[in-house]
Amino acid sequence: MADNNATDSFGNTLDPVVGFARGEIIKSSVDEARRLRNGQNIAADRVRRLGPESIGVFTGNQREFPLKVEDLNTHCEEWVGPGLFADALRDIAIEHMGGLPDDSVAVVNRTSAGIIASIAALASGKAVVSVVPPAGRSHASVVRGCAIAGVALHEVQGDKDWAKLVDDVKPGLVVITTVTSSLEFLDDHVAMDVAALAKREGALVLLDEAYGARMRPVLRGGVKSLKLGGDLAITNCDKAGLSGPRSGLLVGRPTLVTRVSAKASEYGMEARAPIAASALRSLQRFSPRDLLDEARSGQALGKALRERMGADLVEVSDLGPMIHEDLAMKEVFRRAGKSTDGATVTPAEITSALGAVLLRDHGILTVNTHGQPGARVSVRLKPTHGAIDRLGGMDKVVDAMVTSFDAVARVVHLPAEISKLILGDTK
């Protein structure tokens, strides 16, 4: 489990659930939800003024709804529809995830929902061990799922002694995250070794493959999800080359999928027929070329931004540039000519304000305005297909980032202005 006393570079205590420091503006998940609503308002205002082509999505989530016209009165019908496409969905999902011929499939309304439902259904009152990539951390849904299930969570990075932890804890469930939302990778051989040990110890294994189901095989030459040895694997239907809708696809052993599906239904987390039918269409139209194109454009953007803003500030992931929230705050204060000593804002608040300016002034939509409560707060530009061209090309996007840093720097000493950027006019 995360250290409850951990701090960021400025001495702010990190929230152990979400992994970033809260402040006077973003105090809780409620304020994160308010930030999201404000981001939606900013986007809507821009579309009304400049049209839908004025926004490029840089979250890595395409979030389309790829239904066919003929689906509306067949697959989308709530009573009969799911039975009509169940076999087609099962076959393509098993192929996509590398499952066995007799595996089962379920669609839930979010990957986070599937993870929470899996922990609640499968932990059986025992502790959960979460194995994450080196330098990574568990998704907030793993932490929250354990809290809901009333079981202890033990987290360990893949380059640490996870074998001893599994042996000592004797968990009921081991969750293996192969690729985090910050795009840290766990080597396939480590994931396989963890899964094998967990099974020998009598634990069930859930693979969190939200990104990994496609990024590992397509970009890193890895094996398909369930070839790693898990009992279940879940992926996100709108990440890393899948076009949407926002939903989670769960594949694995039939009795376990049934238990998780039942728990998801108890919690109201199951995907209704239109979502599940759209997930089928997304899988049917998936092409590795789409992910490769996204990766190439993201890495080119990362290189350009790194050349402009510095290699010490900008990292480049498989899908695009990233700036850690602590470094973003230091850079904003540097541009403002001010010290961070005694700062009244936190890094998460700085990156949220930066996201608001990027969206309002330049049409760059990021997780810093549109992330759900608990989402990472680093600055991550993962351009979806066509996003860079839509906003005028690579140089325009790089200029927008530099200009936005300067804009936030001009008001960083005015907490009320930072709050207005993040939450909107709260009067």
Side-chain angles (χ1 to χ4, degrees):
M1 184 59 189
D3 182 357
N4 291 337
N5 298 313
T7 61
D8 64 16
S9 302
F10 312 99
N12 302 305
T13 301
L14 300 179
D15 182 322
V17 175
V18 297
F20 60 81
R22 301 193 180 276
E24 292 303 311
I25 301 170
I26 301 178
K27 301 175 184 178
S28 68
S29 294
V30 173
D31 296 312
E32 293 178 81
R34 293 170 65 201
R35 178 197 62 195
L36 171 57
R37 182 58 182 159
N38 183 52
Q40 292 169 338
N41 288 338
I42 294 171
D45 179 68
R46 186 175 176 90
V47 169
R48 291 188 191 102
R49 290 185 292 109
L50 302 172
E53 294 301 309
S54 69
I55 287 182
V57 177
F58 285 76
T59 65
N61 306 81
Q62 194 74 29
R63 290 201 176 156
E64 297 176 358
F65 209 79
L67 289 174
K68 299 180 179 180
V69 173
E70 57 266 29
D71 294 333
L72 297 179
N73 293 320
T74 54
H75 291 2
C76 292
E77 193 276 323
E78 290 276 2
W79 299 111
V80 178
L84 294 176
F85 63 82
D87 288 344
L89 175 62
R90 179 177 168 277
D91 289 347
I92 198 166
I94 289 172
E95 191 280 328
H96 192 82
M97 301 292 281
L100 298 171
D102 63 338
D103 275 343
S104 290
V105 174
V107 183
V108 288
N109 59 22
R110 286 180 61 185
T111 303
S112 296
I115 291 172
I116 290 171
S118 295
I119 293 171
L122 304 179
S124 301
K126 298 180 181 179
V128 170
V129 168
S130 175
V131 182
V132 298
R137 66 186 307 273
S138 304
H139 191 270
S141 60
V142 177
V143 183
R144 289 170 175 153
C146 289
I148 289 170
V151 298
L153 170 63
H154 301 268
E155 180 181 280
V156 60
Q157 294 176 343
D159 55 347
K160 303 296 192 300
D161 195 353
W162 47 263
K164 183 177 187 306
L165 180 62
V166 171
D167 184 60
D168 289 346
V169 170
K170 300 293 190 293
L173 178 69
V174 173
V175 180
I176 303 173
T177 302
T178 59
V179 184
T180 68
S181 58
S182 295
L183 304 186
E184 295 105 352
F185 276 74
L186 185 69
D187 288 342
D188 279 12
H189 72 87
V190 175
M192 290 177 178
D193 289 347
V194 173
L197 175 63
K199 288 185 173 181
R200 288 198 299 272
E201 294 288 343
L204 298 172
V205 178
L206 169 67
L207 295 159
D208 177 0
E209 284 270 88
Y211 279 99
R214 290 162 299 285
M215 287 189 69
R216 290 184 308 93
V218 176
L219 302 183
R220 299 287 183 101
V223 301
K224 290 186 176 182
S225 300
L226 286 165
K227 301 298 185 185
L228 295 172
D231 298 292
L232 295 166
I234 190 165
T235 193
N236 194 316
C237 291
D238 70 345
K239 282 181 178 174
L242 282 184
S243 60
R246 182 185 188 193
S247 56
L249 178 73
L250 182 73
V251 181
R253 304 314 298 151
T255 57
L256 302 180
V257 171
T258 299
R259 286 166 62 183
V260 175
S261 296
K263 187 61 68 175
S265 295
E266 289 175 12
Y267 290 164
M269 295 173 166
E270 79 280 10
R272 305 310 297 253
I275 299 292
S278 190
L280 165 64
R281 297 306 185 205
S282 183
L283 289 166
Q284 288 174 332
R285 72 189 230 179
F286 169 68
S287 169
R289 289 193 303 273
D290 294 337
L291 178 54
L292 291 168
D293 287 345
E294 286 183 11
R296 278 192 289 267
S297 61
Q299 290 183 344
L301 176 59
K303 180 181 178 182
L305 195 62
R306 210 170 152 91
E307 290 173 354
R308 181 75 175 274
M309 299 189 75
D312 291 339
L313 179 65
V314 181
E315 297 180 58
V316 182
S317 74
D318 287 54
L319 296 182
M322 302 191 304
I323 302 175
H324 189 277
E325 58 268 24
D326 288 14
L327 295 179
M329 179 160 162
K330 289 177 182 177
E331 179 65 11
V332 165
F333 274 78
R334 184 191 71 80
R335 288 172 180 262
K338 299 181 180 298
S339 170
T340 58
D341 293 342
T344 58
V345 291
T346 63
E349 292 165 347
I350 290 293
T351 57
S352 294
L354 182 66
V357 175
L358 283 166
L359 179 57
R360 182 195 66 192
D361 296 349
H362 308 285
I364 297 174
L365 192 152
T366 67
V367 294
N368 302 106
T369 55
H370 280 65
Q372 291 289 327
R376 303 290 170 88
V377 296
S378 54
V379 180
R380 288 167 284 153
L381 299 185
K382 305 171 189 172
T384 55
H385 186 68
I388 294 174
D389 290 340
R390 177 178 289 187
L391 299 184
M394 197 75 69
D395 290 343
K396 288 280 190 181
V397 174
V398 172
D399 287 344
M401 180 67 86
V402 175
T403 301
S404 298
F405 265 89
D406 287 335
V408 175
R410 286 194 292 271
V411 297
V412 73
H413 62 295
L414 302 171
E417 292 299 315
I418 296 293
S419 179
K420 187 173 182 180
L421 282 171
I422 297 170
L423 303 178
D425 190 347
T426 58
K427 292 182 180 180

